[in-house]
Amino acid sequence: MASALINVPARAKRGDVVEIRTLTSHIMETGFRRTAAGDLVPRDIITSFTCRYNGTEIFRADLFPAIAANPYLSFFTVARESGKFEFEWIGDNGFVSTASASITVE
Amino acid sequence: FAATPAHAATNDKYPEEAFRQKSEADAIKALYGKTAEPSDKIKLDAPEIAENGGVVPISVTTTLDKVTSISFFVAENPNALAASYKIPDGTIPSVANRLKMAKTTNVVAIVEADGKLFSATKEVKVTVGGCGG
């Protein structure tokens, strides 16, 4: 199963802007490449990513073959309350990967 | 490209139509249904020269108000649309990711703010392409 690296500050002050960085392991095969025998390698990419903060969706991405292998994403949100960030990646061939991280807001 | 798996379609609202467009102008139109105007309130960070077109770090930040979405397009890739981000209220309009680029071309960032489209463009020189084929 694919593994994900999540970087969320463990604690923050209320109202602070926090950076969330995520990295998933995935080949992101474009579907444009051919094998030595000339066969097209089928597309295998992550097509969408969502991040929820205590159940509320704060970020959503639709991804396409032009995203590099092992998709890295960084975005920012405002720390409002202690709780949990939940991340979900969905891709071709039934790929699903989830991860979560918690934050303490003071 | 006909090998697109069927279940990609079940992924709700995935903009297949916009993705299939070859040129970035067509893709922008298919995704948003309008055209963009250049804005100096968008900061697009990309390398001048990317030695490896397979991993090109791109980031965009903007000082525009009421941003609802940000998208990246690579003009001369086989399909121009690279990524599209939804920015709900309260999330800072700033994202970074890594793109694949087939060859030296323009990277276009589109920011949808207050119902209007704004764009920033930067040329990235690619030494080794990242789309294979």
Side-chain angles (χ1 to χ4, degrees):
Chain A
M1 200 57 211
S3 58
L5 282 175
I6 307 288
N7 190 319
V8 174
R11 41 189 65 245
K13 287 207 176 64
R14 194 173 302 273
D16 272 4
V17 171
V18 293
E19 181 179 21
I20 299 170
R21 290 181 292 165
T22 70
L23 185 71
T24 329
S25 140
H26 195 285
I27 54 167
M28 295 300 276
E29 183 58 58
T30 58
F32 296 119
R33 298 197 306 162
R34 288 174 191 278
T35 61
D39 300 327
L40 205 57
V41 180
R43 190 183 91 167
D44 183 11
I45 63 164
I46 291 176
T47 50
S48 80
F49 165 80
T50 48
C51 174
R52 284 184 291 272
Y53 182 13
N54 285 343
T56 310
E57 183 175 300
I58 56 160
F59 189 76
R60 168 185 287 269
D62 288 321
L63 305 178
F64 300 93
I67 296 297
N70 302 326
Y72 163 84
L73 265 175
S74 119
F75 54 96
F76 299 84
T77 192
V78 177
R80 279 189 215 91
E81 51 190 3
S82 297
K84 209 162 108 178
F85 290 100
E86 291 170 288
F87 306 91
E88 185 180 45
W89 294 263
I90 297 170
D92 290 338
N93 305 319
F95 177 90
V96 176
S97 173
T98 55
S100 64
S102 48
I103 186 168
T104 307
V105 176
E106 290 150 352
Chain B
F1 193 69
T4 307
H7 56 252
T10 61
N11 193 345
D12 69 325
K13 291 187 290 183
Y14 189 68
E16 281 291 340
E17 186 57 36
F19 162 65
R20 267 189 237 111
Q21 306 300 320
K22 301 278 186 237
S23 81
E24 96 266 21
D26 288 348
I28 292 166
K29 218 183 234 170
L31 190 63
Y32 292 108
K34 48 197 164 193
T35 51
E37 56 181 277
S39 165
D40 55 5
K41 289 183 174 170
I42 303 170
K43 190 164 163 285
L44 175 62
D45 252 345
E48 291 283 331
I49 296 173
E51 284 192 11
N52 177 2
V55 187
V56 185
I58 306 282
S59 73
V60 64
T61 56
T62 176
T63 52
L64 291 163
D65 278 339
K66 296 183 192 165
V67 173
T68 50
S69 90
I70 296 176
S71 298
F72 290 103
F73 299 84
V74 183
E76 292 202 21
N77 267 9
N79 300 98
L81 181 54
S84 172
Y85 304 102
K86 302 275 173 302
I87 314 285
D89 241 6
T91 299
I92 314 300
S94 170
V95 290
N97 63 5
R98 295 170 185 159
L99 302 181
K100 284 179 183 160
M101 296 181 62
K103 54 184 165 183
T104 298
T105 181
N106 281 338
V107 173
V108 182
I110 297 287
V111 174
E112 186 183 32
D114 204 9
K116 293 194 189 73
L117 286 191
F118 300 95
S119 70
T121 305
K122 184 166 178 184
E123 191 193 49
V124 178
K125 291 189 168 59
V126 175
T127 329
V128 180
C131 283

